[in-house]
């Protein structure tokens, strides 16, 4: 993801597109404008040819003639699956919106837009995810760090569970917590994290499904996001992390954060 | 010798001629007499309404016997009551006017249904014989056998006619005739009626006998007797015929009376039935009325829903259409604020005014849209104290209102849409603030009971008048000068899509309490 976030604003209402574009530009973003789904798709496709010109976010109106926002979203996912799409609508309840959210749109915003939260969202979107790995197995940690690094994620490794609270900087978005630590109990560490960061998503990791069953159950009850079992399938891990990021971003735009079971 | 010359035959012939003359004369005389007799009726004119006059007193005073009214002793009551004194008098007058004597109508047992004395002769003898009884008690007098007129009239005439079923024609102790006949009603004798007729006696011998019997002066008797105007025979016949007609009339009336009674009873019965039916009808009509009312209410509800639907559709359309321009204005203001961060205070103030007015418009539009289509609740576990704190932060009551928040310690989580319940709470807080422009207390309380959590917002404001209390949740009802009256309707809808309910208790001038009831999260039950 580029350092400078590029935003594509799509609305058939030209003034809506223009005012949004002007605000985002004033805030230092590069903004593209499209007044129809087709035009937007064209721009996404053209921008995709060079990494530097790729859009980081598409903000699209839902109800537009010919190609609506949901159809546009669907078309975009086919060419740029990772591109974040945010819907905006004048309609509070809209079946189209529901469909869009199910398809993976980050959020749906009601007009008039709350620009501040949108700007917060862009800021978060611009930043890489920071993942903290709490594990006393250095090998596991470094392997994982490398994998996540290639996926545009920043990794903080915490091998000393007793210092977990101090080590968790505010930019940490997700914690991967090994439940079988040498000295400390994973559950104890989780409780410590919860005390200081009640909403921080924590993914439990363990190689001992049976032995740790009770601890994991308790962990999930005190708001752990989910539990992954070693050997961790990277695909599963990435999916969980993407999901968490997606929810994080959505929650900035007012969507509820839902824990996975 | 010429006379001698007449032969015996000639003499016989003359004699025969003379006889013929005599017979012609006799015939002539007979015819004359007959004509005279025939003319006599024409010369007598009925004296007028004697009885009616005397009984009814229209002209002169009616005759009232000095001993009183004998019908007062009537125990049978049949003829007397079924026909009535007035009608009986009319009937008797019809024939007694012809005779001007006396008349009586008896019940089957001899009780008087009517007794009339219209001639001086009859009155004299009647009162005379009554005196002979030597008692004040009429009943005793009647039974004494000394009341000669009664004895003649009842015992010797009417009683006999009842017993025999025949007309009885006798000479009474008073020297005139009595004619009595039975009254038949439906094959049965029910009584008798009679009258006296004929001239009072004028022979001294007869008068003396009567005077002795009645202990009256002969002279007085003679004077009274002479004052009676003699009636021709045909008038008496006429009166007798009328008596028969009258008896038939009385009998028929009596015969019909029971039928009339039955008819009356039937009428009463009918009336009762009608009443019963009327009662049933009243019940039915009450039920109908009730049903009509219910239907009316249902219709009103439907109408209201329909109105709401139409309104919602319109509101939805307008709301959506407004959101786009509002969005543009809002963006424009944001942009201006961003680039005009260094602008003077007034400019910034005006930008802020536009922003806040947009927020207000947005609120109205949201209400309109919520009304048109309440979004299904996206339920999650809510901690009410946190929600209340969040809403209070956003919707701060005016500084002149004292706010108290009391949340029960054991308050369970509630499964509801936080955004929707938050909006309801916002509406209630806004209303409460508006109700207390001069200050007051605002209490927000929450407690749990059984399967529900009760969240209440109380104010000490102006309250709600009883007559509008039912309407406050209706759309477009408002007591505020500003506002279109959707807040509470929307609130109600929102609470209801979350499986809860909202109600209000209010006293005008004292304040209102709105209570939201929400179900407790099932897992905690």
């Amino acid at each position: 993801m580029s350092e400078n976030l590029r935003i594509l604003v799509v609305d058939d209402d030209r003034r809506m597109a223009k005012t949004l574009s002007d605000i985002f530009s004033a805030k230092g973003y590069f903004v593209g404008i499209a007044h129809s789904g087709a035009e937007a798709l064209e721009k996404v496709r053209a921008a995709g040819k060079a990494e530097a010109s790729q859009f980081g976010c598409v903000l699209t109106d839902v109800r537009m003639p010919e190609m609506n926002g949901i159809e546009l979203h669907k078309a975009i996912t086919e060419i740029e699956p990772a591109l974040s799409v945010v819907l905006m609508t004048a309609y509070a309840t809209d079946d189209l919106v529901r469909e869009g959210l199910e398809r993976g749109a980050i959020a749906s915003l009601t007009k008039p837009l709350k620009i501040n939260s949108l700007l917060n969202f862009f800021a978060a979107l611009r930043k890489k995810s920071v993942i903290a790995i709490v594990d006393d197995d250095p090998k596991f940690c470094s392997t994982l760090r490398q994998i996540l690094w290639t996926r545009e994620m920043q990794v903080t490794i915490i091998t000393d569970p007793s210092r977990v609270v101090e080590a968790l900087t505010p930019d940490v978005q997700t914690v991967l917590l090994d439940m079988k630590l040498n000295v400390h109990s994973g559950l104890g560490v989780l409780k410590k994290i919860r005390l200081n960061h009640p909403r921080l998503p924590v993914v439990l990791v363990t190689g001992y499904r049976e032995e740790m069953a009770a601890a994991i159950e308790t962990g999930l009850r005190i708001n752990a996001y989910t539990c992954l079992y070693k050997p961790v399938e990277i695909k599963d891990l990435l999916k969980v992390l993407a999901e968490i990021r997606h929810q994080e971003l959505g929650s900035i735009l007012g969507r509820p954060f839902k824990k996975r079971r | 010798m010429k006379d001698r010359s007449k032969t015996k035959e000639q003499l016989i012939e003359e004699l025969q001629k003379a006889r013929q003359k005599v017979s012609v004369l006799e015939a002539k005389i007979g015819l004359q007499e007959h004509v005279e007799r025939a003319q006599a009726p024409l010369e007598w004119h009925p004296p007028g309404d004697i009885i009616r006059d005397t009984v009814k007193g229209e002209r002169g005073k009616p005759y009232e016997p000095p001993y009183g009214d004998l019908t007062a002793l009537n125990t049978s009551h049949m003829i007397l009551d079924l026909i009535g004194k007035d009608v009986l008098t009319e009937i008797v007058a019809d024939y007694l006017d012809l005779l001007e004597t006396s008349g009586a109508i008896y019940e089957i047992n001899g009780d008087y249904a009517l007794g009339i004395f219209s001639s001086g002769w009859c009155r004299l003898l009647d009162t005379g014989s009554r005196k002979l009884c030597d008692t004040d008690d009429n009943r005793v007098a009647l039974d004494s056998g000394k009341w000669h007129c009664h004895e003649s009239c009842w015992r010797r005439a009417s009683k006999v006619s009842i017993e025999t079923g025949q007309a009885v024609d006798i000479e009474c102790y008073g020297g005139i005739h009595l004619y009595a006949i039975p009254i038949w009603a439906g094959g049965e004798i029910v009584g008798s009626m009679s009258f006296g007729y004929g001239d009072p006696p004028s022979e001294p011998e007869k008068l003396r006998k009567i005077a002795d019997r009645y202990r009256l002066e002969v002279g007085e008797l003679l004077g009274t007797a002479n004052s009676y105007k003699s009636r021709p025979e045909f008038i008496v016949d006429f009166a007798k015929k009328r008596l028969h007609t009258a008896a038939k009339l009385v009998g028929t009336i009596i015969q019909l009376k029971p039928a009339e009674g039955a008819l009356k009873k039937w009428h009463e019965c009918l009336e009762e039935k009608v009443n019963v039916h009327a009662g049933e009808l009243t019940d039915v009509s009450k039920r109908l009325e009730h049903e009509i009312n219910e239907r009316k209410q249902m219709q009103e509800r439907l109408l209201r829903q329909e109105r709401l639907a139409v309104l919602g559709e319109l509101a939805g359309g307008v709301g959506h259409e407004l959101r786009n321009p509002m969005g543009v204005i809002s963006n424009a203001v944001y942009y201006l604020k961003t680039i005009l961060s260094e602008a003077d205070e007034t400019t910034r103030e005006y930008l802020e005014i536009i922003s806040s007015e947009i927020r207000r418009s947005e609120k109205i539009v949201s209400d309109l849209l919520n009304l048109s289509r309440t979004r299904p609740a996206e339920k999650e576990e809510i901690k009410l104290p946190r929600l209340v704190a969040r809403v209070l932060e956003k919707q701060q009551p005016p500084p002149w209102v004292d706010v108290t928040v009391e949340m029960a310690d054991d308050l369970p989580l509630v499964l509801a849409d936080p955004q929707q319940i938050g909006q309801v709470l916002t509406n209630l807080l806004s209303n409460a603030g508006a109700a207390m422009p001069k200050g007051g207390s605002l209490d927000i309380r929450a407690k749990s009971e059984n399967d529900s959590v009760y969240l209440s917002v109380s104010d000490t404001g102006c309250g709600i008048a009883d007559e509008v209390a039912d309407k406050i949740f209706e759309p477009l009802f408002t007591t505020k000068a500003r506002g279109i009256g959707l807040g509470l309707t929307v609130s109600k809808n929102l609470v209801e899509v979350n499986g809860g309910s909202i109600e209000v208790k209010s006293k005008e001038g004292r304040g209102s309490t709105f209570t939201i009831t929400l179900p407790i999260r099932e897992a905690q039950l």
Side-chain angles (χ1 to χ4, degrees):
Chain A
M1 207 164 289
S2 65
E3 207 46 36
N4 248 331
L5 185 69
R6 298 166 76 88
I7 302 160
L8 180 60
V9 177
V10 190
D11 202 317
D12 59 324
D13 182 338
R14 288 170 180 267
R15 287 188 169 165
M16 178 60 75
K18 178 184 160 46
T19 48
L20 287 176
S21 158
D22 288 347
I23 291 168
F24 301 150
S25 300
K27 292 290 175 183
Y29 295 99
F30 173 82
V31 188
I33 290 181
H35 295 124
S36 72
E39 193 187 346
L41 208 55
E42 186 64 34
K43 292 204 166 171
V44 169
R45 208 171 270 137
K49 284 171 185 161
E51 198 177 321
S53 65
Q54 272 177 1
F55 287 109
C57 176
V58 175
L59 179 61
T60 178
D61 187 27
V62 173
R63 298 214 168 178
M64 291 184 294
E66 289 163 26
M67 180 187 275
N68 68 33
I70 308 307
E71 286 159 344
L72 172 64
H73 175 209
K74 200 176 158 192
I76 287 172
T77 9
E78 276 164 22
I79 43 177
E80 296 275 354
L83 184 47
S84 299
V85 173
V86 176
L87 307 171
M88 50 182 180
T89 177
Y91 297 78
T93 55
D94 197 322
D95 292 337
L96 278 176
V97 168
R98 206 163 301 127
E99 190 195 331
L101 292 176
E102 275 163 20
R103 283 183 175 281
I106 293 198
S108 164
L109 307 177
T110 307
K111 292 176 183 174
L113 303 182
K114 290 182 177 70
I115 303 293
N116 280 338
S117 50
L118 203 50
L119 292 174
N120 289 341
F121 163 73
F122 291 148
L125 194 59
R126 191 158 59 169
K127 280 185 206 152
K128 286 181 177 175
S129 289
V130 180
I131 315 292
I133 303 171
V134 185
D135 200 316
D136 52 5
D137 175 357
K139 204 178 156 207
F140 174 77
C141 287
S142 62
T143 321
L144 207 52
R145 187 215 297 260
Q146 264 179 359
I147 294 167
L148 296 180
W149 183 260
T150 60
R151 308 279 165 159
E152 304 278 342
M153 279 179 255
Q154 215 169 296
V155 177
T156 304
I157 292 171
I158 303 167
T159 43
D160 181 0
S162 64
R163 292 194 58 253
V164 71
V165 175
E166 295 86 337
L168 283 177
T169 49
D171 59 341
V172 170
Q173 279 160 342
T174 308
V175 178
L176 290 181
L177 173 62
D178 185 25
M179 289 301 276
K180 185 79 174 170
L181 300 165
N182 283 336
V183 186
H184 299 88
S185 93
L187 197 58
V189 175
L190 176 64
K191 283 178 181 168
K192 256 195 215 169
I193 296 171
R194 276 281 156 271
L195 268 178
N196 294 280
H197 307 276
R199 293 185 158 264
L200 187 61
V202 177
V203 177
L204 306 179
V205 183
T206 185
Y208 307 91
R209 191 187 285 259
E210 280 78 34
E211 293 92 320
M212 299 308 292
I216 287 162
E217 190 55 40
T218 312
L220 290 174
R221 211 166 44 237
I222 59 173
N223 232 359
Y225 185 78
T226 189
C227 183
L228 296 173
Y229 296 97
K230 284 181 182 174
V232 174
E233 286 280 340
I234 295 304
K235 198 181 75 188
D236 292 347
L237 175 65
L238 291 177
K239 199 177 161 198
V240 166
L241 293 177
E243 212 176 83
I244 289 173
R245 178 165 168 85
H246 192 272
Q247 287 216 59
E248 278 295 317
L249 292 169
S251 73
I252 296 171
L253 293 175
R255 285 190 81 184
F257 193 104
K258 281 171 189 157
K259 145 175 107 164
R260 198 189 209 215
R261 285 310 306 249
Chain B
M1 276 319 288
K2 198 186 175 183
D3 287 342
R4 282 192 187 169
S5 63
K6 286 180 183 175
T7 61
K8 192 185 171 184
E9 285 77 24
Q10 281 175 321
L11 284 169
I12 289 167
E13 194 181 331
E14 279 176 11
L15 186 64
Q16 277 173 339
K17 280 180 182 172
R19 273 179 185 167
Q20 271 177 357
K21 276 183 183 171
V22 166
S23 68
V24 168
L25 269 175
E26 274 174 355
K28 275 187 179 171
I29 290 165
L31 188 66
Q32 182 81 27
E33 279 177 348
H34 182 75
V35 168
E36 277 173 9
R37 261 206 312 279
Q39 278 173 341
L42 301 176
E43 285 167 11
W44 188 85
H45 298 289
D49 287 348
I50 297 160
I51 302 302
R52 288 182 186 85
D53 293 349
T54 50
V55 173
K56 289 192 165 179
E58 282 162 14
R59 267 178 266 153
K61 227 179 154 193
Y63 173 71
E64 284 168 8
Y67 47 82
D69 185 1
L70 290 180
T71 61
L73 300 174
N74 190 313
T75 54
S76 163
H77 296 291
M78 188 186 228
I79 299 172
L80 180 61
D81 287 11
L82 288 181
I83 300 178
K85 211 168 182 176
D86 280 2
V87 177
L88 286 174
T89 304
E90 292 282 339
I91 291 169
V92 172
D94 192 51
Y95 56 82
L96 212 54
D97 275 350
L98 294 169
L99 300 171
E100 202 191 347
T101 46
S102 61
I105 300 177
Y106 295 98
E107 305 274 6
I108 185 85
N109 63 352
D111 285 349
Y112 279 86
L114 194 74
I116 290 173
F117 300 91
S118 61
S119 75
W121 179 258
C122 288
R123 288 176 191 171
L124 179 64
L125 296 188
D126 178 58
T127 47
S129 57
R130 171 66 183 85
K131 276 179 193 156
L132 292 177
C133 301
D134 201 22
T135 172
D136 291 337
D137 190 328
N138 282 334
R139 183 76 262 165
V140 176
L142 288 171
D143 294 340
S144 69
K146 294 174 186 169
W147 197 339
H148 302 311
C149 287
H150 169 67
E151 290 298 310
S152 301
C153 200
W154 165 243
R155 218 173 290 285
R156 293 177 53 222
S158 280
K159 188 166 185 268
V160 176
S161 80
I162 287 169
E163 283 162 0
T164 59
Q166 302 291 324
V168 173
D169 200 338
I170 56 157
E171 190 182 321
C172 77
Y173 290 136
I176 61 168
H177 291 272
L178 269 171
Y179 186 70
I181 55 168
I183 301 170
W184 292 87
E188 266 181 57
I189 296 172
V190 295
S192 166
M193 55 205 297
S194 67
F195 62 67
Y197 70 93
D199 299 344
S202 50
E203 307 87 44
E205 183 63 17
K206 220 169 188 180
L207 281 172
R208 204 168 34 86
K209 268 190 174 172
I210 291 168
D212 283 351
R213 184 187 287 266
Y214 285 86
R215 291 191 204 161
L216 293 164
E217 294 297 319
V218 176
E220 193 184 356
L221 285 176
L222 189 60
T224 311
N226 286 340
S227 69
Y228 181 77
K229 197 183 173 196
S230 184
R231 261 62 172 174
E233 209 183 316
F234 81 96
I235 287 295
V236 175
D237 289 342
F238 196 22
K240 283 181 179 173
K241 276 185 190 164
R242 286 200 177 181
L243 183 69
H244 281 274
T245 310
K248 231 180 229 176
L249 179 66
V250 170
T252 307
I253 294 174
I254 289 169
Q255 190 183 342
L256 288 177
K257 278 287 177 177
E260 190 185 302
L263 195 69
K264 203 170 166 190
K265 259 188 191 161
W266 189 72
H267 267 291
E268 281 166 3
C269 182
L270 199 66
E271 206 167 315
E272 200 174 309
K273 276 184 182 171
V274 166
N275 281 338
V276 169
H277 282 296
E280 283 170 6
L281 271 176
T282 312
D283 285 352
V284 168
S285 83
K286 269 183 191 163
R287 274 207 305 277
L288 269 175
E289 208 173 317
H290 184 68
E291 207 164 299
I292 286 169
N293 272 338
E294 261 185 7
R295 278 181 188 216
K296 222 186 238 172
Q297 278 176 6
M298 199 195 277
Q299 211 168 4
E300 273 170 20
R301 264 203 305 278
L302 281 174
L303 210 68
R304 204 159 55 221
Q305 279 171 6
E306 207 171 306
R307 207 172 55 179
L308 203 63
V310 171
L311 182 75
E313 218 161 288
L314 179 76
V318 172
H320 289 137
E321 286 315 306
L322 277 177
R323 271 188 168 172
N324 278 314
M326 269 165 48
V328 175
I329 299 170
S330 169
N331 291 348
V333 173
Y334 193 95
Y335 179 76
L336 290 177
K337 274 193 199 167
T338 309
I339 61 155
L340 294 179
S341 54
E342 305 290 303
D344 63 286
E345 205 178 307
T346 315
T347 307
R348 279 186 280 136
E349 191 191 338
Y350 270 76
L351 289 172
E352 199 43 58
I353 287 173
I354 301 175
S355 293
S356 75
E357 290 303 304
I358 289 169
R359 277 199 295 279
R360 227 178 63 206
S361 314
E362 214 190 324
K363 162 89 171 59
I364 295 170
V365 169
S366 304
D367 280 353
L368 280 173
L369 292 176
N370 275 316
L371 187 71
S372 71
R373 195 163 149 208
T374 305
R375 173 172 64 80
E378 282 171 25
K379 293 185 184 178
E380 55 184 272
E381 290 164 6
I382 305 180
K383 283 180 181 157
L384 277 181
R386 192 176 288 174
L387 182 75
V388 169
R390 209 184 72 210
V391 170
L392 269 176
E393 205 173 292
K394 271 167 70 182
Q395 175 76 37
Q396 279 185 6
W400 50 83
V401 169
D402 295 325
V403 183
T404 313
V405 180
E406 269 177 48
M407 300 278 143
D409 294 334
D410 58 344
L411 209 57
L413 293 177
V414 173
L415 195 65
D417 186 313
Q419 198 258 324
Q420 290 180 333
I421 300 305
Q423 193 185 337
V424 174
L425 203 52
T426 305
N427 282 343
L428 294 183
L429 291 182
S430 154
N431 284 349
M436 300 183 288
K438 291 175 186 162
S441 335
L442 173 65
D443 288 353
I444 305 167
R445 291 194 176 85
K447 60 170 184 178
S448 69
E449 227 174 80
N450 301 329
D451 303 344
S452 301
V453 168
Y454 299 86
L455 176 64
S456 65
V457 176
S458 307
D459 65 63
T460 56
C462 54
I464 299 158
D466 285 347
E467 58 266 31
V468 299
D470 302 341
K471 295 186 184 157
I472 58 164
F473 291 107
E474 283 180 20
L476 302 185
F477 178 83
T478 183
T479 56
K480 296 181 200 161
R482 296 182 67 174
I484 50 174
L486 293 178
L488 285 176
T489 312
V490 167
S491 299
K492 190 170 195 275
N493 287 352
L494 291 178
V495 172
E496 281 169 4
V497 296
N498 281 279
S501 62
I502 183 168
E503 58 182 41
V504 64
K505 274 185 188 153
S506 183
K507 219 167 198 169
E508 199 171 9
R510 302 278 289 276
S512 311
T513 298
F514 285 86
T515 305
I516 303 168
T517 309
L518 289 168
I520 291 175
R521 184 171 69 95
E522 275 167 37
Q524 289 190 339
L525 288 179

